[in-house]
Amino acid sequence: FTLTGELYSLDGAKVAVPAMSQAADIGADGSATVSLTAPVTTPKLWSAEKPNLYYVFYRLSDGNKPVERVQDRIGFRKVELKAGVMMVNGVPIKLTGVCRHDEYSTVGHALTEEMWRKDITLMKDANVAAIRTAHYNHAERFLELCDEAGFYVLDEVPSCWVANEIRDPNQIGRA
């Protein structure tokens, strides 16, 4: 099979990078590892102030026969700590944030995209830049809307899903 990837801006224009493509064979265990890379020399960087996003289209084919097509959105950014200061794309940032529970009194946890958009608008208007998804994973669409709006998200792993102890990684799996 061959996996091919192409990068597009959100307005649908193809980004001037070569198509990424790699052929591979699926092993006896039913898996294969493929790595796609392409130089993107001057991407529009993602930040809370300018949430620039791109589409990447992946196409899996068997010879000339398409098998599957998947799209995903990505952003380019560099996050680093320098002398205890969080930097995004070389700019120091201050995280002003909230813990957000994905529920409304009238519908419980069955929120709609309209409700998510309302929350996002209210948070942006209040100068909130970061969201902690309190205690459980939020819907993928909510996280996509956060990418579009320019939020830093701490997508927390619920504590009930992990052991309440810190273990030496060298001892994991040993009696």
Side-chain angles (χ1 to χ4, degrees), residues 60-71:
L60 183 66
S61 56
D62 184 4
N64 290 330
K65 180 182 173 194
V67 176
E68 188 169 0
R69 184 173 179 205
V70 176
Q71 74 181 34

Side-chain angles (χ1 to χ4, degrees), residues 24-156:
D25 293 321
I26 298 175
D29 65 352
S31 68
T33 301
V34 176
S35 177
L36 299 179
T37 60
V40 181
T41 55
T42 56
K44 291 182 179 177
L45 300 178
W46 184 98
S47 69
E49 296 77 21
K50 294 183 180 178
N52 295 304
L53 294 169
Y54 293 84
Y55 282 112
V56 61
F57 290 93
Y58 298 103
R59 186 176 58 254
L60 183 66
S61 56
D62 184 4
N64 290 330
K65 180 182 173 194
V67 176
E68 188 169 0
R69 184 173 179 205
V70 176
Q71 74 181 34
D72 198 4
R73 289 187 315 174
I74 63 170
F76 295 96
R77 69 176 182 213
K78 181 178 181 181
V79 179
E80 57 190 334
L81 286 176
K82 286 189 176 179
V85 176
M86 186 170 177
M87 311 279 280
V88 175
N89 304 325
V91 177
I93 64 165
K94 182 176 181 179
L95 295 175
T96 53
V98 297
C99 292
R100 184 180 177 280
H101 292 270
D102 204 19
E103 61 184 74
Y104 268 60
S105 61
T106 56
V107 296
H109 295 289
L111 274 67
T112 64
E113 185 168 324
E114 180 183 350
M115 292 171 175
W116 290 327
R117 287 182 184 276
K118 180 179 177 183
D119 278 2
I120 286 170
T121 298
L122 289 170
M123 288 185 285
K124 264 300 188 189
D125 289 348
N127 276 336
V128 170
I131 299 170
R132 173 182 164 254
T133 59
H135 309 304
Y136 44 84
N137 298 329
H138 282 43
E140 183 176 349
R141 181 63 183 144
F142 176 76
L143 299 175
E144 290 172 352
L145 293 171
C146 288
D147 285 343
E148 290 174 13
F151 282 98
Y152 301 104
V153 177
L154 172 61
D155 193 13
E156 156 182 312

